Amino acid sequence: FDGSEITYTGLDRPTQVAPRGEPTLSGQAASWTAQTDAGNALVVTLTVEECSDGMSDRTYPLSAEVVIAGETLHGCAASTAWLNSVDETGQPRQG
């Protein structure tokens, strides 16, 4: 998420950009639905719940689901401000 845009990118995947509209709220989840500049449907859902990426000891404050062009991806999420305020384990930085 960057301002009014959602940017989707990944290894061996073309970058796609979509407008970031207002989310649909449901309980502890927020979902954004858009169409990318490549013409693919994109749905991003962030849910407030602890999430471990399985590759590190860090625990994130949000789980994420991205559905794009019929593929569903699951992972963890956090704001840039949160990432800058914690160490590699997700604990607040000292000092």
Side-chain angles (χ1 to χ4, degrees), residues 1-20:
F1 291 87
D2 186 19
S4 62
E5 294 180 332
I6 300 170
T7 301
Y8 169 82
T9 188
L11 298 173
D12 300 327
R13 298 170 190 263
T15 298
Q16 298 181 58
V17 179
R20 178 182 171 188

Side-chain angles (χ1 to χ4, degrees), residues 25 29 33 42 48 53 59 66 71 87 93 95:
L25 304 176
T33 302
L42 171 67
V48 178
D53 64 11
T59 301
V66 175
E71 180 179 16
D87 64 18
R93 290 188 191 274

Side-chain angles (χ1 to χ4, degrees), residues 32-57:
W32 291 262
T33 302
Q35 184 168 352
T36 71
D37 54 357
N40 291 308
L42 171 67
V43 179
V44 177
T45 302
L46 300 178
T47 304
V48 178
E49 63 186 9
E50 284 192 349
C51 180
S52 174
D53 64 11
M55 296 181 68
S56 70
D57 291 331

